[in-house]
Amino acid sequence: MTMPPDDDPARDPVSDALQRLDATLSRLEATVSRRLEAEASPDDRDAELHLLEEDRSRLAAALDAASARLAQVEATSGEVGHRLDRAIAAVAGVLERH
């Protein structure tokens, strides 16, 4: 394919400039579209990090609840132990008297 010489009247510099501008605008639009799509959809690492943070929060709340329940059970167990000791002593006292 031969290019017309620069001084060829058939060659229109405005048309050439418009074609180059059109091609450049098309590339720019494609680049902007890709960038907007990338910003609109979160990165896999960000999504995974968010899920891990939610899991950590959920597990921390469950651990706190379990710890509170354990403390309550231990306190109740101690009280039950003291009552049993008193009951055993009372039964032993009754048995000694009879």
Side-chain angles (χ1 to χ4, degrees), residues 2-13 16:
T2 60
M3 298 288 293
D6 286 343
D7 59 345
D8 183 1
R11 183 174 174 155
D12 181 12
D16 289 343

Side-chain angles (χ1 to χ4, degrees), residues 19-63:
Q19 287 176 349
R20 287 192 311 272
L21 179 61
D22 187 47
T24 301
L25 286 175
S26 294
R27 288 192 308 270
L28 179 62
E29 287 174 348
T31 301
V32 168
S33 293
R34 284 191 305 271
R35 178 68 183 250
L36 289 175
E37 287 174 13
E39 288 177 0
S41 61
D43 188 49
D44 287 341
R45 290 179 291 158
D46 291 341
E48 187 174 336
L49 179 61
H50 180 70
L51 290 174
L52 288 173
E53 288 173 352
E54 287 179 352
D55 283 347
R56 190 200 68 69
S57 295
R58 183 182 51 78
L59 290 172
L63 179 60

